[in-house]
Amino acid sequence: MLVTIIVVAYGSIAGIARSARELYQTQYAIVIDLMELRSNQNLNRAQILEMMLTGDKALRVARERSTQDRPKFLDDALSTVSSLNSARQFQDRLAELRDNIASYRQTRDQEIASIRMGNLEEALRLGSGPQEVRFEKIHVLALERGDAAKA
C-alpha cells in the first residue's frame, strides 16, 4: 500500500514538473517575446518622432541606424513565438501581425526618407495617419497573442 502511494505521488510530482517546464518554455517565452516586440515598436516610434524634432544631423543618423538594425531581432522573436504555438488560430493571428509589421516597416522607411529630404510635413502625415493605425493594430495583436499564451 505504501509503495502504491509513493508511485502515485511520484507520478503526480513528475507531471507537475513537466507542466511547469512546459509553461516556462512556451507560454512565458511567447509572452516575453511579444512584450519585447511591443517595447521595440514604442522605441521605433519615439525615435522617428525624435528624428523629426531634432536639428542634430548626427543624432538623426544614429536614430535611423537604430531603427534599421532592429527588424532582425523582431523577426527572430516572431519566429520563436511561431515555433512555440502551432495552433491554427494563433498562427493566423500571428500572420496578421507579421503583415501589419511589414506594412509598418514600409511606411516607416517612407517616413525616414521624408525626414532625410527635410519634408517633415509628409513624414508627420505618414506617421499620424495610416502608420498610427498600424502601430495600434500591432500593439493590439501582440497583446492579444500574449494573453492567449497566458491562458
Side-chain angles (χ1 to χ4, degrees):
M1 172 112 149
L2 184 60
V3 171
T4 304
I5 292 172
I6 292 171
V7 168
V8 169
Y10 177 78
S12 295
I13 291 170
I16 291 170
R18 272 191 309 276
S19 177
R21 188 172 37 256
E22 178 184 318
L23 179 67
Y24 177 76
Q25 291 175 344
T26 57
Q27 281 84 356
Y28 287 157
I30 290 171
V31 170
I32 289 168
D33 281 347
L34 291 172
M35 285 176 63
E36 287 178 0
L37 181 143
R38 291 184 7 236
S39 175
N40 277 296
Q41 285 297 112
N42 288 336
L43 179 60
N44 259 347
R45 192 165 191 198
Q47 288 183 333
I48 294 289
L49 292 173
E50 188 175 15
M51 289 170 63
M52 287 183 205
L53 296 174
T54 187
D56 183 352
K57 185 171 172 105
L59 180 61
R60 197 178 282 169
V61 169
R63 295 300 179 251
E64 180 179 348
R65 190 175 309 118
S66 177
T67 59
Q68 299 297 340
D69 291 344
R70 203 165 297 106
K72 173 73 171 119
F73 169 79
L74 294 175
D75 291 341
D76 290 346
L78 285 173
S79 292
T80 300
V81 166
S82 180
S83 70
L84 292 174
N85 188 332
S86 61
R88 180 74 177 154
Q89 182 182 12
F90 187 89
Q91 291 295 324
D92 289 347
R93 297 297 276 176
L94 202 56
E96 184 178 353
L97 177 60
R98 280 190 174 119
D99 291 345
N100 276 280
I101 289 171
S103 295
Y104 181 90
R105 286 177 182 168
Q106 185 177 15
T107 304
R108 180 204 58 210
D109 292 343
Q110 292 173 351
E111 277 182 280
I112 291 172
S114 294
I115 293 168
R116 244 189 269 122
M117 293 185 305
N119 191 350
L120 298 181
E121 292 81 22
E122 176 65 13
L124 188 59
R125 185 190 66 75
L126 287 168
S128 62
Q131 196 71 329
E132 187 173 348
V133 172
R134 286 186 198 103
F135 178 83
E136 291 302 323
K137 184 70 172 178
I138 290 167
H139 271 257
V140 167
L141 288 168
L143 184 61
E144 177 187 284
R145 292 303 84 210
D147 289 345
K150 288 184 215 176

